[in-house]
Amino acid sequence: MRLNLVRLLSFALNVAPLTSCIEHLQTAWRSAVYTFFKRNIKIGFDNGRKYHFFICAARKCKGSGGIRRYQDSKDRAATSNLKTHALKCFGAAAVDAAFKKTTPLTQDGSLFSAFAHQGQRPATVTHRAHNVDESRAHIVRWCAESNRPPHIVCDREFSILMKAGRPTTALPSATTVMRDIKLSFDICRTNIDNILKNHSGQVHFATDAWTSTNHRAYVAWTIHLHHQGSILTFALDMMELPEVRGIFLLITLY
């Protein structure tokens, strides 16, 4: 028993400095290629040669499970072999997208960079973790499109789900989400205003009135146009009517 304890202590003393060394090195790894590998880098020795083993993050690795990078060579910090492996497991499109995300030309660090026009493509899952701004942008979009309350980010189970496997993930507060929603609304309203003013084609307006289940009457106005190969529909306004007396009331009020 005592011998096993001594071995455990000896192992812990040897592993701790190696682990802290890896964590220190990871702070300088800026390349996007590292997002295709897990963060728990393993340290090993091959005939006395020290190497770092990068574990592939793919669900089913098409190689040997990862890449060894020997530390006694001049290219101990090279990423070419990591990129080659990432191309094999994730494809050129995913790798190119990851590298483009690291350049100022395609990602300006703005909260609203994730709101670019996505067309009619199906939703895809990224193989890299979102940064803080991207997480805030997706939370804003989720709350707005799915009618979720901003305070949902304070839910304990939501926090557990979001931080599973990524305990250092930073979640915004409910106040931050509400502020981001308002700011996103102001920016979207400005963008819609510019689109409508600069549109050279025809625009179509529509209106509709209805009575809700609580016997309150509402009226809404929408606008429809063809823009850059897509049909755009915007809700211009919606308001409650004090009383319903037919179309003549609408004409008188508006």
Side-chain angles (χ1 to χ4, degrees):
M1 180 69 181
R2 182 176 180 181
L3 180 59
N4 292 336
L5 180 60
V6 171
R7 289 179 178 176
L8 288 175
L9 290 175
S10 176
F11 176 78
L13 291 175
N14 291 331
V15 170
L18 295 177
T19 303
S20 61
C21 179
I22 288 294
E23 293 176 352
H24 176 71
L25 291 174
Q26 285 177 334
T27 59
W29 292 345
R30 304 296 183 184
S31 176
V33 74
Y34 292 106
T35 59
F36 296 99
F37 297 87
K38 297 181 179 180
R39 291 188 58 84
N40 54 329
I41 310 301
K42 295 185 180 297
I43 300 176
F45 294 89
D46 183 14
N47 294 328
R49 300 180 61 193
K50 180 181 176 181
Y51 64 84
H52 294 162
F53 185 73
F54 294 82
I55 305 174
C56 181
R59 181 174 298 180
K60 293 183 179 180
C61 179
K62 298 179 181 179
S64 57
I67 289 295
R68 287 186 181 185
R69 192 160 69 178
Y70 288 90
Q71 299 301 296
D72 58 352
S73 59
K74 294 181 180 180
D75 57 348
R76 60 179 177 271
T79 59
S80 58
N81 54 349
L82 299 178
K83 185 177 181 180
T84 301
H85 186 91
L87 288 170
K88 181 187 301 183
C89 288
F90 296 93
V95 174
D96 291 341
F99 274 88
K100 289 179 181 179
K101 287 290 185 178
T102 61
T103 59
L105 294 177
T106 56
Q107 181 176 3
D108 56 3
S110 171
L111 169 64
F112 308 99
S113 60
F115 286 95
H117 179 65
Q118 298 296 324
Q120 302 300 321
R121 294 172 297 173
T124 57
V125 180
T126 178
H127 290 284
R128 66 178 182 85
H130 292 303
N131 58 35
V132 176
D133 292 330
E134 290 172 337
S135 297
R136 288 172 57 186
H138 282 289
I139 290 176
V140 166
R141 188 169 187 172
W142 174 48
C143 291
E145 292 183 350
S146 302
N147 196 24
R148 305 298 181 187
H151 289 281
I152 196 172
V153 296
C154 301
D155 185 80
R156 183 173 63 90
E157 293 300 326
F158 175 78
S159 177
I160 293 175
L161 289 173
M162 293 296 293
K163 294 185 177 182
R166 303 184 301 272
T168 59
T169 298
L171 295 177
S173 63
T175 303
T176 300
V177 174
M178 288 187 286
R179 184 172 62 248
D180 290 343
I181 291 176
K182 183 179 184 303
L183 188 57
S184 300
F185 173 79
D186 293 337
I187 292 178
C188 290
R189 181 171 57 182
T190 302
N191 292 338
I192 293 174
D193 183 64
N194 293 333
I195 290 175
L196 296 179
K197 287 181 178 178
N198 299 326
H199 185 64
S200 57
Q202 294 181 342
V203 294
H204 305 270
F205 292 88
T207 183
D208 190 18
W210 68 95
T211 303
S212 64
T213 55
N214 58 359
H215 304 289
R216 292 180 179 271
Y218 296 91
V219 62
W221 288 265
T222 60
I223 188 170
H224 313 262
L225 68 152
H226 188 269
H227 179 70
Q228 295 182 355
S230 301
I231 300 298
L232 301 183
T233 301
F234 301 116
L236 297 180
D237 199 3
M238 172 183 167
M239 64 181 303
E240 181 182 358
L241 294 177
E243 55 183 337
V244 179
R245 293 181 181 176
I247 189 64
F248 297 103
L249 176 62
L250 295 178
I251 296 176
T252 303
L253 292 177
Y254 310 104

